[in-house]
Amino acid sequence: MAKLAGVSRAQISRIEKDIVRVKIIQVLKVLNVLEIEENLIWYKKTSDLL
């Protein structure tokens, strides 16, 4: 695994860190979208009451 097509172990670990970072960002974006949708639903419900 150390020498995969001339890629060093340091480069592999850097790539893995980037992948993890991207996955975390994707999860946060999904959670953010869900929160926005929840807020919109709540807003619609409260505005219907007014």
Side-chain angles (χ1 to χ4, degrees), residues 5-6 9-10 13-14 20 23 28 31-32 36-38:
R9 189 165 286 176
S13 68
R14 201 176 300 135
V20 168
K23 284 182 179 175
L28 289 174
L31 290 175
N32 199 21
I36 290 167
E37 284 180 359
E38 240 175 67

Side-chain angles (χ1 to χ4, degrees), residues 22-38:
V22 167
K23 284 182 179 175
I24 290 171
I25 290 168
Q26 286 174 338
V27 168
L28 289 174
K29 282 182 179 175
V30 168
L31 290 175
N32 199 21
V33 167
L34 290 175
E35 197 175 303
I36 290 167
E37 284 180 359
E38 240 175 67

Side-chain angles (χ1 to χ4, degrees), residues 2 4 6-8 10 12 18-19 23 27 32 37 40 43 47-48:
L4 229 141
V7 178
S8 72
I12 291 171
D18 284 347
I19 291 168
K23 284 182 179 175
V27 168
N32 199 21
E37 284 180 359
L40 284 175
Y43 179 76
S47 62
D48 286 348

